[in-house]
């Protein structure tokens, strides 16, 4: 499958000019990140918004640092078989149902995570909150899932490509906002090249609108006209524009969003006797987490704030059970024979669609099954990935590092905090990666496709279940791990073929 822009990748001069045009269009479209040097502000430097005004003092202003730049992206869209795109979209509602079912199944969560929480403190802390909330009784009656299921395209023996799930993100699934703005950039590049027919084939995409629709539905069902959406934010947030895209959609529906840190919740959050959540004295209908998925994001105080939020009546996105449903241990357990059938009874077609996307997943719990998995991985390290219960990229182990870790963990119960996964081997292709401050680079790449899913449940009634768009991320083949936020992958668009 050669793209009609393959020859252009050889022409350095043309690439440079195209890259300049693409970058300007990306900036104009709002495909932006704050910089690593200034992750907390969008416009200016040192000491806040107005500190650059030196007219009254006459002192020399400090040197201005760049605070916003474009998010890295590919110069060209990357080829993706239409059939795989369609398959990924078609299975998304099944994944929504599955995550929702797991989140409501205490026996499954407890059994699945029992060995993990003995050895993994982060999962144990989440699980502890889960148990406390169950014990008190769940006040929340409306449930909102905003997730993203990620896939790679496995090259099979006969040369065909097969859709294989990497993971599902049930908390802080990001880049729905920026992914809404990248199609215009790739259309621009192809139009510059007079490839108007090709430009028209780039799929329109607006996940931020769909994600906001889900939040708005949950807000409406909560049923309090003056209540707010509380976005739990990080202090340093390079990906602010991605989040603003969703906030803007909500404001257009007259739903107001406030951004607060866990620390603010500790100081100014409270529950009334009906466990309604108030922040700065204002009622909160929906809590949307864009923080809280990594151990480093929690101090003791922050864990207390998380507990307060979970105990409340407000719609958490996700609630603690749904966050647990997104762990890698749950993913591994779901691939076991009979599990999907038990969780989605009477839905054999959904089960078949889901199972078709599963790669090989292996438990490392103590016992013969785990021993066998370790023996297999040590015999063929290039075919496996070792994964701890972590999110956010850069945590998995491959190759020699994986071998060393497995040798070390082999006889220790600590191994239960990991899972082993078959390594997906996509077919590499050439594309040109654009990053601020680096020259355009043509490299061999692989892509990862994400589909955004939204569902809303009120009591036992599912009132919304849909897919709302996609994200394609592409990275150079030398990087085993890591997404856009981790500085490894760049934003892309699928070019359906
Ligand atoms: P995280 O929660 O940190 O994002 P992922 O499971 O998504 O964890 O893994 C991070 C990255 O590692 C993925 O984006 C992908 O590039 C790579 N990766 C993960 N699992 C596999 C796999 N089974 N085969 C090949 N690459 C993988
Ligand atoms: Mg991931």
């Amino acid at each position: 499958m050669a793209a009609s822009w393959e020859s252009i990748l050889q022409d350095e001069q043309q690439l440079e000019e195209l890259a300049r045009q693409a970058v300007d269009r990306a900036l104009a479209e709002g495909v932006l990140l704050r910089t690593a040097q200034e992750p907390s502000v969008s416009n200016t430097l040192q000491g806040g918004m107005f500190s650059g005004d030196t007219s009254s003092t006459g002192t020399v202003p400090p040197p201005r640092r760049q605070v916003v730049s474009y998010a890295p992206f590919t110069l060209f869209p990357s080829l993706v078989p239409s059939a795989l795109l369609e398959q990924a979209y078609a299975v998304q509602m099944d994944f929504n149902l599955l995550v929702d079912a797991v989140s409501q199944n205490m026996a499954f969560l407890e059994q699945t995570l029992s060995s993990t929480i003995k050895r993994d403190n982060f999962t144990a802390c989440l699980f502890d909150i889960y148990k406390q909330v169950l014990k008190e009784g769940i006040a929340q009656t409306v449930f909102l899932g905003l997730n993203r299921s990620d896939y790679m395209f496995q090259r099979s023996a006969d040369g065909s490509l097969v859709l294989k799930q990497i993971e599902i993100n049930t908390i802080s699934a990001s880049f729905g906002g920026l992914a809404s703005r990248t199609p215009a950039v790739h259309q621009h590049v192809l139009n510059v090249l007079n490839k108007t027919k090709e430009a028209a084939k780039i799929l329109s995409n607006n996940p931020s609108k769909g994600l906001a629709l889900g939040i708005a539905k949950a807000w409406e069902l909560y049923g309090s006209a003056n209540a707010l959406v509380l976005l739990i934010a990080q202090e340093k947030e390079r990906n602010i524009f991605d989040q603003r895209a969703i906030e803007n959609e909500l404001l257009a529906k007259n739903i107001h969003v406030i951004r607060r840190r866990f620390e603010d919740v500790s100081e100014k959050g409270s529950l009334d006797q009906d466990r309604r959540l108030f922040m700065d004295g204002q009622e909160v209908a929906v809590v949307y987490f864009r923080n809280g998925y990594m151990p480093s994001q929690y101090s003791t105080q922050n864990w207390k704030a998380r507990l307060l939020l979970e105990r409340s009546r407000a719609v958490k996105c996700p609630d603690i059970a749904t966050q647990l449903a997104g762990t890698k241990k749950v993913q591994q357990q779901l691939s076991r024979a009979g599990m999907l059938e038990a969780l989605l009874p009477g839905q054999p077609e959904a089960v078949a669609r889901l199972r078709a996307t599963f790669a090989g997943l292996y438990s490392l719990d103590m016992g013969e099954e785990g021993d066998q998995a370790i023996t297999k991985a040590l015999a063929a390290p290039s075919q496996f990935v070792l994964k701890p219960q972590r999110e956010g990229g850069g945590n998995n182990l491959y190759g020699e590092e994986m071998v060393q870790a497995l040798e070390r963990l082999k006889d220790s119960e600590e191994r239960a905090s990991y899972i082993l996964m078959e390594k997906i081997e996509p077919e590499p292709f050439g594309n040109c990666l654009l990053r601020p401050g680096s020259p355009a680079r043509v490299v061999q790449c692989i892509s990862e496709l994400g589909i955004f899913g939204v569902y809303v449940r009120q009591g036992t009634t599912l009132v919304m279940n849909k897919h709302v768009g996609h994200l394609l991320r592409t990275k150079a083949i030398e990087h085993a791990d890591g997404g856009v936020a981790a500085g490894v992958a760049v934003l892309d668009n699928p070019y359906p073929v």
Side-chain angles (χ1 to χ4, degrees):
M1 278 188 302
S4 57
W5 42 87
E6 202 143 277
S7 60
I8 302 163
L9 288 171
Q10 327 287 329
D11 183 342
E12 235 173 79
Q13 244 179 347
Q14 197 178 5
L15 275 188
E16 265 175 44
E17 171 52 24
L18 265 182
R20 275 192 289 271
Q21 294 228 22
V23 164
D24 285 344
R25 184 69 193 244
L27 290 163
E29 291 294 331
V31 184
L32 304 174
L33 288 178
R34 285 175 177 161
T35 61
Q37 294 76 31
E38 292 286 355
S40 315
V41 289
S42 300
N43 67 341
T44 186
L45 61 153
Q46 297 162 5
M49 253 189 237
F50 303 107
S51 64
D53 181 6
T54 54
S55 50
S56 54
T57 59
T59 53
V60 183
R64 282 186 180 268
R65 276 196 271 177
Q66 192 182 30
V67 289
V68 166
S69 193
Y70 63 92
F73 64 99
T74 57
L75 182 55
F76 295 103
S78 296
L79 275 53
V80 174
S82 324
L84 299 191
L85 261 173
E86 281 162 28
Q87 187 190 351
Y89 266 106
V91 75
Q92 185 57 43
M93 281 81 82
D94 304 322
F95 271 114
N96 292 345
L97 284 180
L98 180 63
V99 168
D100 191 41
V102 169
S103 79
Q104 294 174 79
N105 194 322
M106 189 190 72
F108 175 84
L109 281 175
E110 199 154 51
Q111 215 167 37
T112 298
L113 295 170
S114 64
S115 55
T116 311
I117 58 179
K118 281 190 203 127
R119 298 289 150 181
D120 185 71
N121 190 252
F122 180 63
T123 313
C125 289
L126 294 172
F127 197 79
D128 188 49
I129 291 182
Y130 172 58
K131 295 297 286 187
Q132 287 190 62
V133 171
L134 282 180
K135 197 168 161 207
E136 187 179 15
I138 302 173
Q140 180 177 346
T141 56
V142 176
F143 294 84
L144 164 65
L146 303 181
N147 65 55
R148 199 189 67 222
S149 182
D150 291 336
Y151 306 89
M152 282 184 174
F153 315 120
Q154 167 84 59
R155 174 177 43 183
S156 64
D158 66 5
S160 64
L161 296 175
V162 185
L163 187 77
K164 288 293 167 193
Q165 189 186 45
I166 296 295
E167 63 156 348
I168 190 158
N169 302 282
T170 61
I171 179 166
S172 301
S174 61
F175 291 108
L178 297 191
S180 309
R181 285 148 177 79
T182 54
V185 180
H186 281 152
Q187 277 155 3
H188 182 101
V189 168
L190 296 179
N191 282 331
V192 169
L193 293 168
N194 273 318
K195 296 185 182 298
T196 45
K197 260 199 258 134
E198 286 88 344
K201 274 186 73 178
I202 293 180
L203 307 169
S204 59
N205 192 31
N206 201 344
S208 49
K209 187 167 186 182
L211 297 171
L213 267 177
I215 297 175
K217 189 67 186 173
W219 177 88
E220 177 197 319
L221 293 174
Y222 180 87
S224 176
N226 294 319
L228 305 170
V229 173
L230 167 63
L231 186 152
I232 301 295
Q234 300 182 37
E235 173 94 55
K236 296 177 176 165
E237 183 51 83
R238 291 190 63 194
N239 204 13
I240 184 82
F241 302 101
D242 187 55
Q243 301 177 1
R244 291 291 195 204
I246 297 169
E247 291 176 46
N248 298 346
E249 294 281 350
L250 288 168
L251 192 59
K253 298 176 194 295
N254 214 7
I255 299 171
H256 290 252
V257 181
I258 52 170
R259 302 176 59 89
R260 295 290 186 274
R261 303 161 309 151
F262 279 123
E263 289 80 357
D264 302 315
V265 174
S266 299
E267 280 172 32
K268 294 184 185 148
S270 61
L271 305 185
D272 73 3
Q273 71 270 30
D274 298 324
R275 284 195 264 158
R276 273 193 283 260
L277 174 67
F278 289 84
M279 188 65 213
D280 300 325
Q282 285 177 289
E283 186 171 2
V284 174
V286 179
V287 181
Y288 175 38
F289 288 101
R290 292 296 293 252
N291 190 12
Y293 50 88
M294 291 200 298
S296 62
Q297 296 165 337
Y298 286 97
S299 61
T300 308
Q301 185 194 17
N302 290 4
W303 279 119
K304 283 196 186 130
R306 178 72 193 263
L307 177 62
L308 182 91
L309 297 172
E310 290 303 323
R311 291 181 54 230
S312 80
R313 181 171 290 273
V315 184
K316 270 76 65 183
C317 180
D319 69 322
I320 196 91
T322 305
Q323 181 170 358
L324 288 168
T327 54
K328 286 163 175 92
K329 184 64 194 179
V330 165
Q331 180 187 9
Q332 172 261 304
Q333 197 67 8
L334 288 173
S335 75
R336 242 179 228 292
M339 279 297 171
L340 291 180
E341 288 81 355
L343 285 156
L344 299 174
Q347 302 185 63
E349 282 142 17
V351 166
R353 279 190 297 266
L354 289 162
R355 182 157 293 128
T357 68
F358 288 178
L361 289 148
Y362 309 90
S363 166
L364 292 182
D365 285 2
M366 297 309 273
E368 201 181 320
E369 193 189 323
D371 291 346
Q372 276 173 10
I374 291 174
T375 307
K376 271 213 272 187
L378 289 175
S382 65
Q383 292 170 24
F384 292 88
V385 185
L386 181 64
K387 297 191 173 188
Q389 308 305 309
R390 291 290 173 273
E391 302 295 326
N395 301 296
N396 301 334
L397 298 173
Y398 304 80
E400 187 48 37
E401 266 191 310
M402 178 188 77
V403 169
Q404 283 173 16
L406 285 176
E407 293 288 1
R408 180 173 63 77
L409 293 167
K410 219 164 41 176
D411 302 314
S412 148
E413 297 207 353
E414 197 194 330
R415 74 187 210 190
S417 65
Y418 292 81
I419 63 150
L420 202 61
M421 185 173 181
E422 169 197 358
K423 184 158 183 262
I424 309 305
E425 296 284 357
E427 182 76 43
F429 55 87
N431 205 333
C432 176
L433 308 187
L434 303 178
R435 290 175 198 286
S438 307
R441 216 164 55 104
V442 176
V443 284
Q444 285 296 297
C445 302
I446 54 174
S447 294
E448 185 169 346
L449 173 70
I451 306 291
F452 290 95
V454 176
Y455 62 89
V456 177
R457 174 167 52 83
Q458 185 172 36
T460 53
T461 312
L462 201 64
V463 294
M464 186 186 282
N465 181 13
K466 44 207 255 167
H467 51 65
V468 298
H470 56 266
L471 166 72
L472 193 72
R473 291 172 297 169
T474 293
K475 64 181 183 182
I477 43 174
E478 63 255 32
H479 296 291
D481 210 305
V484 180
V488 171
V490 307
L491 300 173
D492 196 351
N493 277 290
Y495 183 81
V497 287

